[in-house]
Amino acid sequence: MSTDVSGMIECRPGARLWGPDDEDSVWQVGIDLFLLNTGNAYDALACLFGVRNTFGFRPLTEGLGLPEDASDRLRTDFAAYGGPPDVHSTTWITWAELTSADWQETDHSGKHSRQSVAGDQTHWGSVWTVMRTLGKLHGPENVRLVVWFH
């Protein structure tokens, strides 16, 4: 049985202007991952999120669940997939965390780097482009990727 990833990129446009604690600094959906054609290459899912990690990567994020301050639209879409009973390994990561990651780190075999399986030249490149652009506009800590698996 295959494992598919779903999720969204969210950003907090007001946080850069008014600060992250301002009542108008709420998370908003930027784009659905479905539109960015990430695919379900298991080596990428392993190194990024720890899903199907027979490769031995140290995942960048794993099992954090849905962010408490997730946008209403993200919560609605998540619920449409069935929520916790029907999805698994829900997690999230900010653009700031992604940019500080060691992209040369390898799997347990030492043959596959994070960059080679999920970097800019892979199907994930379009996700990183969107997050990079939103990070420049709103600050890297105000852009995050939220994912779940089914």
Side-chain angles (χ1 to χ4, degrees), residues 105-141:
E105 186 175 332
T106 63
D107 64 359
H108 65 77
S109 74
K111 296 178 184 177
H112 307 284
S113 70
R114 197 179 310 282
Q115 181 68 33
S116 69
V117 301
D120 285 330
Q121 302 305 313
T122 70
H123 282 95
W124 284 89
S126 57
V127 175
W128 310 146
T129 298
V130 170
M131 291 184 78
R132 185 178 297 112
T133 300
L134 290 171
K136 286 178 185 174
L137 293 170
H138 306 295
E141 65 284 350

Side-chain angles (χ1 to χ4, degrees), residues 13 27 38 48 54 57 69 89 117 125 129:
W27 290 95
T38 58
L48 296 171
T54 59
F57 277 105
D69 56 356
S89 306
V117 301
T129 298

Side-chain angles (χ1 to χ4, degrees), residues 97-109:
E97 293 168 315
L98 283 162
T99 59
S100 67
D102 179 0
W103 286 88
Q104 299 313 310
E105 186 175 332
T106 63
D107 64 359
H108 65 77
S109 74

